[in-house]
Amino acid sequence: MQGFANVMWLLSMALIIFSGFALVDAAIRREDAYRAADKKTKPFWLIILGIAFVVNLLFPILSFLPIIGLIATIVYMVDVRPAVKQISGGGGGRKGGGSSSDGPYGPYNGGR
């Protein structure tokens, strides 16, 4: 039984870290990027992810509330985060050192 308890504790810690990361990521993204990506609003996702984080802290992993929180966190990480990250520029600067006039297929040359 001790091995099962250790595995459940590790899963619970992983779930807390995952939901905490999603909450922090949602907090540092720009508010207007959520609206531009048509993914609800920043306060909506902060409330949902905050509730998921608190639920993961308070309830055991085998109850249904952490599973609902996990689903909300996965939706944010898989759907909302990439869209908001693309709108806001990725947060890590431009890769490849392109200029601000670069389009998706290379530099824009003004029709020349």
Side-chain angles (χ1 to χ4, degrees):
M1 278 318 256
Q2 185 64 29
F4 180 73
N6 288 340
V7 169
M8 288 293 110
W9 183 82
L10 285 174
L11 283 173
S12 180
M13 287 296 110
L15 196 57
I16 289 169
I17 291 169
F18 184 56
S19 62
F21 174 78
L23 179 62
V24 169
D25 185 75
I28 64 172
R29 301 288 172 197
R30 292 186 357 220
E31 201 278 326
D32 60 336
Y34 287 87
R35 286 181 278 127
D38 198 26
K39 300 292 181 186
K40 298 287 184 191
T41 62
K42 183 175 182 174
F44 172 82
W45 282 108
L46 288 176
I47 290 169
I48 294 296
L49 295 171
I51 290 171
F53 181 73
V54 170
V55 163
N56 289 330
L57 284 174
L58 297 178
F59 291 96
I61 194 169
L62 293 177
S63 66
F64 73 95
L65 288 176
I67 294 170
I68 293 171
L70 175 64
I71 292 169
T73 304
I74 290 172
V75 166
Y76 174 80
M77 293 296 286
V78 171
D79 183 39
V80 177
R81 183 176 185 252
V84 170
K85 192 173 180 181
Q86 182 180 10
I87 296 285
S88 64
R94 295 182 67 85
K95 292 186 175 143
S99 74
S100 63
S101 65
D102 283 357
Y105 306 109
Y108 177 71
N109 62 8
R112 291 180 254 170

